[in-house]
Amino acid sequence: MIELAEAIALVERTARPLPPRRVPLLEACGGRLAAGVVADVDSPPWDRAMMDGFAVRSADVPGGDAIVELEVAVDLAAGDTTGLVVRPGTCARIMTGAPLPGGADSVVPVERAVDDTARTHAGGRVRLRDESFRAGQHVGRRGDAFRAGREVLAVGAALGPAEIGLAAEAGATHVVAGARVRVALVSTGSELVPPGTTPAFGQTRNTNGPMLAAAVTLLGAEPIPLGIAADRPEAIRALVAQGLAADVLLLSGGVSAGDLDLVPGILAQCGVEQVFHKVRLKPGKPVWFGMLPRADAPPTLVFGLPGNPASSLVCFELFARPAIAILAGRPREAWHLPRGRARLMGQVKAAADRPVYLPCRLDRTPRGLEAQPAAWSGSSDLLGMAGADGLVALPAGGRRYDVGDEVEVVLR
Ligand code: AMP
Ligand code: MG
């Protein structure tokens, strides 16, 4: 059994960033760029209308109170183009997003058409009065946003929706980014049945599978659910063999001291080197961690998480989360959940021999963070974990904490 801080440090030292890969744009969402994105076209690529209205020659528009009557020479919707040039005394009916025709340099919004002429189409005459008219108004000029050849996203850019959209605008279908970490998931236990099954006597629904897949997804990694392995060596070995092809293998169950806790032995047979087994931590004491060296990539990391769902989740947050973040190439500040200090709003008790993590609800108040401990019965209780946006972290020592005491919290 090792100390919690030592276990976390061992995970941090064993995990290595995956080399960046060229991936389809969407796969890079949530990751960071490893090579800049350079625009292949100007944006906008041509002068375009930014309002629905009439494309005019500014010399034709008097401004102020005066009304000008112009002949509508052509109708242009977004996607339409024309070779026609707007001559003095004429204009084009134009919709937002259409290219400005030659000769025109401004758009008068349709709301500025007077005397019921707003619906005028090609062949008709429109009457316009635009008191705030400025030459060049409501036109997005070619290259206003960026020019071809400009680096619109630099190395290290975090790829969220805006960045993905911008890369697409710049013509990138693929980007070089921190690789999406592939995380295989195996739930062990002969008692386990899929969640869609009503458990018969002796059976338990596999809650860790969906729970851990969700946790992996929220980290921007790719879950690969391999299903349930019964507590038979061949069954576990078969799924472990598949899972070891991923970057990370998360097993749950079968790592404590029971007769059928076969996982550590099978992992050893598969060449996985144990880094630690059992950590001074509650819940989560049985957790197992090891690695399988790979010739052409950083080692595959293997976590044997406890079977009890709440333990499994706490161990995921403390150990698997930083491992996945490191593989993904995230900066150190992003490896762990943030921590802070909070005032307790209920009583809690520390364990004598190990640090304890207890689910709580956090409130941001003018006096600072307040932590309301959840009603929670222990390592198998997910109901108490659900809705908890924090964990109270208490050091070993068996101390009782009262309302108003300041404690460390983990923000989820
Ligand atoms: P184990 O760590 O395999 O000894 O399992 C500890 C407890 O967690 C047992 O009550 C198991 O039935 C339960 N358990 C194990 N795996 C899961 C799972 N995937 N989903 C829900 N409960 C589980
Ligand atoms: Mg089991």
Side-chain angles (χ1 to χ4, degrees), residues 139-166:
V139 175
R141 291 269 166 224
R142 172 177 184 160
D144 261 359
F146 53 78
R147 291 277 178 199
R150 157 128 177 235
E151 184 181 70
V152 293
L153 290 167
V155 171
L159 295 169
E163 292 75 19
I164 297 288
L166 178 58

Side-chain angles (χ1 to χ4, degrees), residues 53-380:
F54 298 89
V56 300
R57 305 171 65 99
S58 53
D60 278 349
V61 183
D65 266 352
I67 292 175
V68 62
E69 189 174 298
L70 298 173
E71 181 192 327
V72 178
V74 64
D75 289 349
L76 296 171
D80 292 347
T81 59
T82 177
L84 183 140
V85 172
V86 172
R87 296 187 192 293
T90 73
C91 66
R93 184 179 177 85
I94 197 163
M95 299 298 120
T96 305
L100 210 70
D105 58 23
S106 312
V107 172
V108 175
V110 68
E111 295 82 358
R112 301 285 169 266
V114 296
D115 305 332
D116 287 334
T117 62
R119 288 175 206 276
T120 313
H121 287 271
R125 298 183 75 81
V126 66
R127 292 166 61 76
L128 302 171
R129 179 174 57 213
D130 190 345
E131 288 171 14
S132 58
F133 183 81
R134 285 174 300 100
Q137 71 178 17
H138 307 313
V139 175
R141 291 269 166 224
R142 172 177 184 160
D144 261 359
F146 53 78
R147 291 277 178 199
R150 157 128 177 235
E151 184 181 70
V152 293
L153 290 167
V155 171
L159 295 169
E163 292 75 19
I164 297 288
L166 178 58
E169 188 179 341
T173 58
H174 290 68
V175 290
V176 182
R180 189 142 183 242
V181 182
R182 291 154 51 247
V183 183
L185 300 163
V186 174
S187 305
T188 73
S190 296
E191 76 280 27
L192 299 179
V193 292
T197 305
T198 303
F201 187 55
Q203 295 184 327
T204 298
R205 282 189 173 134
N206 172 19
T207 46
N208 292 343
M211 175 183 76
L212 296 170
V216 167
T217 302
L218 281 182
L219 285 187
E222 180 190 350
I224 306 170
L226 298 179
I228 296 166
D231 293 316
R232 284 182 285 105
E234 332 73 75
I236 298 175
R237 206 175 291 124
L239 291 192
V240 163
Q242 277 186 55
L244 286 175
D247 302 311
V248 177
L249 168 57
L250 293 184
L251 294 129
S252 79
V255 287
S256 36
D259 293 343
L260 286 177
D261 288 331
L262 307 169
V263 166
I266 289 168
L267 289 171
Q269 289 164 18
C270 293
V272 183
E273 298 166 20
Q274 177 179 314
V275 178
F276 62 73
H277 187 192
K278 294 193 170 37
V279 175
R280 213 178 290 283
L281 167 67
K282 187 180 178 180
K285 182 168 84 174
V287 62
W288 191 100
F289 172 58
M291 57 103 152
L292 178 70
R294 289 191 282 189
D296 50 348
T300 295
L301 303 183
V302 182
F303 292 88
L305 303 175
N308 274 310
S311 308
S312 222
L313 189 56
V314 167
C315 288
F316 178 90
E317 298 294 21
L318 294 176
F319 307 116
R321 167 184 287 272
I324 292 169
I326 292 169
L327 265 67
R330 308 240 163 92
R332 178 171 265 281
E333 321 78 83
W335 291 356
H336 294 280
L337 287 169
R339 291 184 181 236
R341 308 288 297 175
R343 268 162 34 91
L344 269 179
M345 301 309 286
Q347 285 187 338
V348 289
K349 191 169 184 306
D353 59 334
R354 335 168 237 168
V356 166
Y357 284 76
L358 303 166
C360 68
R361 285 270 309 276
L362 293 173
D363 281 315
R364 285 159 185 78
T365 76
R367 296 175 303 284
L369 269 184
E370 290 180 354
Q372 177 70 55
W376 187 59
S377 65
S379 58
S380 66

